[in-house]
Amino acid sequence: MFEKLDILAFGVHPDDVELGCSGTILASVAEGKKVGIVDLTQGELGTRGSAEIRREEAAEAAKVLQVSVRENLKMADGFFQNDEKHQRKIIEVIRKYRPEIVLCNALEDRHPDHGRSAQLVEDAAFLSGLRKIETLVEGKPQEAWRPKYIFHYLQDRFLQPDFVFDISDYFDKKLESVLCYKTQFFNPDLNEPQTYISSPAFFDSIKARSMMLGKRIGVQYAEGYITKKMIGINTFNSFIQHIT
C-alpha cells in the first residue's frame, strides 16, 4: 500500500511546481501534511540542460521541499494529449496516492503545455472517481478515488486568482527550490543559450508577483490559485485577519 497523501502537486515540466506552488507545499509540510509531486514530462524539449540533468535538479528540489514522494510520468514534452492513454496515467497515480487536494498547472498560459496539462489533470481527477474505470498498480486492482479539490496555480500570465495562500515565512525557501534548476534560470557560469526564463528579470518577476498577491491580503508574499469548485468554510478563523 502506498502512503496516502494530503496534497499531490502536478507540474507538466520539472520546475513548474517550484515556480507555481512551492511556497504552499513548504507551508503544508511544515504543518504536518503529506505532500507529493508528479512531473508529467522530463522537460526534454527545453533549450537549456537535458532530461538527465533536470531529473537530478528535480531530485534536489524535492529535498528542499521535503516532499514525501516525487515521480515522473515521462509523457512526451510538447506532444502529450488529453486523451484516454494519458488520462489513465493520471488516474493511476491519483488512485495510488489518494490525495485530498490536487494542485496543477494554470488553465491557460504562455506555454501551451500548461493549459493542456491543466485540463488533462482535471478531467482525469474526475474520471478517477468512477469505479467502472479499471486500473492496476503493481498488478493489483486500484480502488476509485476522487480528490476533494483541484486548484490551478498561476504561472506566466496573470489570471485573477480565486484565493491566495500566504507564503511569507517560506518565500526564501521557495526561491532555494527554484534555484536547484541551475540549467534553467539565470546562471552566469553556464555557456548556454539565453531563454525567456534565464534572465535576472525573470526572477524579479517571481518576487514581484508574490509581493503583489501578498499585498492584496496584507502579508509579504503569497501564491494565487484558481478553482472551478465552490470553496466552503466552517469557521471565519480560516481567514487572514489583516486590514487591507
Side-chain angles (χ1 to χ4, degrees), residues 59-99:
E60 287 301 310
K63 292 177 185 177
V64 172
L65 298 176
Q66 298 182 316
V67 293
S68 299
V69 64
R70 183 169 203 159
E71 61 178 84
N72 195 302
L73 298 184
K74 297 183 180 179
M75 296 180 182
D77 190 10
F79 296 101
F80 68 90
Q81 296 297 319
N82 184 4
D83 57 18
E84 181 180 350
K85 172 186 172 182
H86 293 86
Q87 288 168 358
R88 283 185 173 276
K89 286 180 178 288
I90 304 293
I91 291 169
E92 288 169 9
V93 81
I94 287 175
R95 289 178 172 181
K96 181 161 66 171
Y97 295 116
R98 294 162 290 143

Side-chain angles (χ1 to χ4, degrees), residues 196-208:
Y196 181 78
I197 64 173
S198 67
S199 72
F202 181 78
F203 247 79
D204 292 340
S205 72
I206 297 172
K207 184 173 183 178

Side-chain angles (χ1 to χ4, degrees), residues 3 6 20 26 33 43 46 57 63 75 79 93 97 107 109 121 148 165 193 202 218 220 236 238 241-242:
E3 180 179 29
D6 299 296
L26 287 159
K33 286 184 165 48
E57 293 171 339
K63 292 177 185 177
M75 296 180 182
F79 296 101
V93 81
Y97 295 116
L107 288 162
D109 205 43
V121 171
K148 307 301 186 298
F165 194 113
F202 181 78
Q220 191 170 10
F236 286 127
S238 298
Q241 306 288 333
H242 292 305

Side-chain angles (χ1 to χ4, degrees), residues 52 70 91 106 112 158 184 189 200 213 215 221 226:
E52 293 74 19
R70 183 169 203 159
I91 291 169
F158 181 76
Q184 301 305 302
D189 297 328
L213 293 174
K215 184 176 183 295
Y221 299 108
I226 292 172

